[in-house]
Amino acid sequence: MHVRRLGVMLPASLLLVAGCSSAAVVKPASPGQDSGEGIQISTSHCGQGWTDPHAGPQDLRFTNTDTVSAEAYVVDVPRGAVYGEMEGLAPGVTRSLPITLGSGTYAIKCAVEDNDPIVGPSVHITGSSPGGPALVPVNYNDLYGPAREYQKYVAGGLKTLVAKTATLAADVDRGDLKAAKKSWLPAHLAYERLGAAYGTFGDFDGAIDGRPAGLPGGVHDPDFTGFHRVEYGLWHGESAKSVRSAADRLLKDVKALKADFPNEDLPPEDLPLRAHEILENTLQFELTGKSDEGSGTSLATAEANLEGTRHTLDVLRALLKPRYAALPQTDVQLDRVQSLLDAQNHGGTWTPLQDLSGTDRESIDGAVGDLLERLAPIATTLFPRGSQ
C-alpha cells in the first residue's frame, strides 16, 4: 500500500488541484541563499520572490532555499483553499508548478520538514481570467473523529468475528465438516467487512487472511494459516483432524487480534487511502480468483469488501461533501456494483467466479473499475495539509 508522505509524489491521476510539479529541475541554489531562480520555500523566507503575480495559466517556479526537504502550497487568503501543491522539493532545487489563478488574494504556504507550516506574504491578483479548481484542505484534527468512529465499528466487528469463528472451529472440532463449510463463509465475511483497518492489524492480517502465494511449500507450507488454509482443507477433502489444527489456530489468532486491537491506533491519514485500496485489492485478488482456495465464494468476499468501502465513505462523508463534487455519482456507482454482486447471490449460495457468464463478468469488472476511478481522488482530497 502506498501512503503519501512528505517527499513522496502521488500518482498524477490522484491530483485534484493543479498541483503536479514539473519534473524539470532547474539549476540548484545554495541552501539558505536567494538563488533568484524562483519563489523561496524556507522557514525564514517563505513566499518571497513572487515578483509577477498575474491572472491566467502560468508556471510558478519554486526554490527550496532551506536545508531540508519541503512542500509548497498556493493558497487563497483567508480561506486557505489549495490551488496547487508541490511535494518533495529537495534543498537547493528549483521546480515549476503549472497553475491557473484568477482574481483574488493568494499566498504561499511552506511545509518544511520537521517544522510547522508557515504562510508567506499575500499577493493580490486582478483580472478577468477564471482560476483553476481549488481544494479546501483538511488537517489531522479533522480526521480524528472519523478515525475514532471507524475504530468503534471495527471493535464491534471483531466481536462478531470471534463469535462466528468460534462456531466454525466448533463444527470442525466435532468432525462435522459439512456444517463447517456452511459456517466458514459467515466467519470469513465478518473479517472482510473490516477492510479499512487491515493496515492496523499488522502481522495478524497475514495470519488470519493470508494466501499461500510466495510460501516455499504453497498450500502445504506450515506458515499458510488462517481462513484460506481452513478453506483449502474443507474443499479439498482433508480429514477433520487435519482441518482441526488450522481452525483452532485461526480461532486463537482471531481472539488475539480482538484482545490486541484496543492497543492499536488507526492513523487518521490512512482512512481516506483505504476508501480506494479496499476495492483495489478486491479487483486484484477476489475478481481474479487468486484468493479462492476452493469455496467459490469470491463474489461474496467482494460484496463484503464493498460494505467495508461504503462504511469508510460514510465516516468520511461530512468532510467529503463540501470538497468532492463527484460524491453523489460515487454513491450511485456503489449501488450499481452492489446490485451486480447481489444478482449472483442465490439464497446464500454464490455463483463461483468461473461460472459467471462473459457478460456478467465484464459488467462486474467494468463497474468496479469505474468505481475505483471515482474513489481514487479521495486520498488526495482528504490528505491532511498541516495542523491548522
Side-chain angles (χ1 to χ4, degrees):
M1 300 307 165
H2 304 288
V3 179
R4 181 177 179 274
R5 304 293 186 195
L6 182 66
V8 179
M9 292 298 294
L10 275 175
S13 62
L14 296 188
L15 296 174
L16 296 183
V17 294
C20 183
S21 60
S22 168
V25 177
V26 187
K27 181 178 65 177
S30 299
Q33 301 297 317
D34 184 355
S35 68
E37 292 286 0
I39 302 168
Q40 292 192 58
I41 306 302
S42 70
T43 55
S44 59
H45 296 81
C46 177
Q48 294 187 17
W50 194 352
T51 57
D52 183 30
H54 60 275
Q58 56 199 282
D59 285 339
L60 295 182
R61 286 150 58 89
F62 293 97
T63 299
N64 183 352
T65 56
D66 217 299
T67 57
V68 292
S69 181
E71 294 180 350
Y73 304 94
V74 181
V75 300
D76 72 358
V77 178
R79 189 171 56 133
V82 178
Y83 279 80
E85 60 185 305
M86 177 174 290
E87 306 164 274
L89 189 61
V93 170
T94 297
R95 285 205 196 116
S96 296
L97 177 72
I99 195 171
T100 300
L101 298 176
S103 176
T105 302
Y106 302 89
I108 306 302
K109 184 176 182 179
C110 302
V112 180
E113 191 172 292
D114 298 325
N115 290 272
D116 291 333
I118 56 176
V119 178
S122 297
V123 299
H124 186 66
I125 292 176
T126 59
S128 58
S129 298
L135 181 66
V136 178
V138 301
N139 57 48
Y140 286 93
N141 290 335
D142 293 327
L143 290 168
Y144 284 143
R148 285 195 299 269
E149 186 177 345
Y150 200 87
Q151 281 184 294
K152 291 179 182 178
Y153 165 75
V154 173
L158 287 173
K159 293 179 181 179
T160 302
L161 174 63
V162 170
K164 292 186 179 299
T165 306
T167 299
L168 168 63
D171 289 342
V172 175
D173 286 346
R174 70 170 184 271
D176 190 347
L177 299 190
K178 183 178 180 179
K181 282 186 175 182
K182 292 182 178 180
S183 58
W184 179 86
L185 183 58
H188 184 231
L189 297 185
Y191 184 81
E192 293 291 340
R193 292 187 180 101
L194 307 179
Y198 61 81
T200 308
F201 292 163
D203 292 341
F204 285 113
D205 185 51
I208 292 171
D209 205 41
R211 297 169 53 244
L215 296 177
V219 294
H220 302 296
D221 195 287
D223 287 334
F224 178 34
T225 62
F227 279 110
H228 292 299
R229 173 63 186 91
V230 175
E231 177 189 13
Y232 180 86
L234 289 174
W235 274 273
H236 285 82
E238 288 190 3
S239 67
K241 180 179 179 181
S242 176
V243 180
R244 183 179 297 119
S245 176
D248 289 346
R249 165 70 187 275
L250 171 62
L251 180 58
K252 178 181 177 181
D253 287 337
V254 164
K255 287 181 176 179
L257 171 61
K258 179 179 179 295
D260 184 69
F261 186 68
N263 301 318
E264 302 294 337
D265 289 321
L266 175 65
E269 68 272 22
D270 283 2
L271 196 55
L273 287 168
R274 302 299 186 245
H276 178 268
E277 288 178 347
I278 298 170
L279 285 184
E280 188 177 48
N281 284 348
T282 302
L283 189 63
Q284 181 179 359
F285 297 110
E286 271 63 51
L287 297 184
T288 59
K290 291 181 179 179
S291 62
D292 183 14
E293 294 297 337
S295 68
T297 58
S298 295
L299 295 178
T301 302
E303 186 179 59
N305 294 160
L306 188 72
E307 184 177 334
T309 299
R310 195 185 293 274
H311 194 81
T312 304
L313 284 181
D314 285 345
V315 300
L316 294 171
R317 190 166 296 275
L319 294 176
L320 285 170
K321 277 185 176 180
R323 295 174 172 86
Y324 187 40
L327 184 59
Q329 291 76 22
T330 303
D331 288 332
V332 169
Q333 192 63 18
L334 272 167
D335 291 340
R336 180 180 175 224
V337 174
Q338 181 81 57
S339 178
L340 290 170
L341 292 174
D342 284 346
Q344 305 305 323
N345 181 3
H346 312 287
T349 300
W350 289 80
T351 305
L353 196 65
Q354 65 272 17
D355 291 345
L356 282 175
S357 69
T359 300
D360 286 342
R361 187 156 190 168
E362 288 177 5
S363 295
I364 292 172
D365 288 348
V368 172
D370 184 76
L371 178 56
L372 281 171
E373 290 184 10
R374 296 180 186 277
L375 292 170
I378 290 174
T380 297
T381 301
L382 297 186
F383 176 73
R385 292 164 170 83
S387 59
Q388 302 296 326

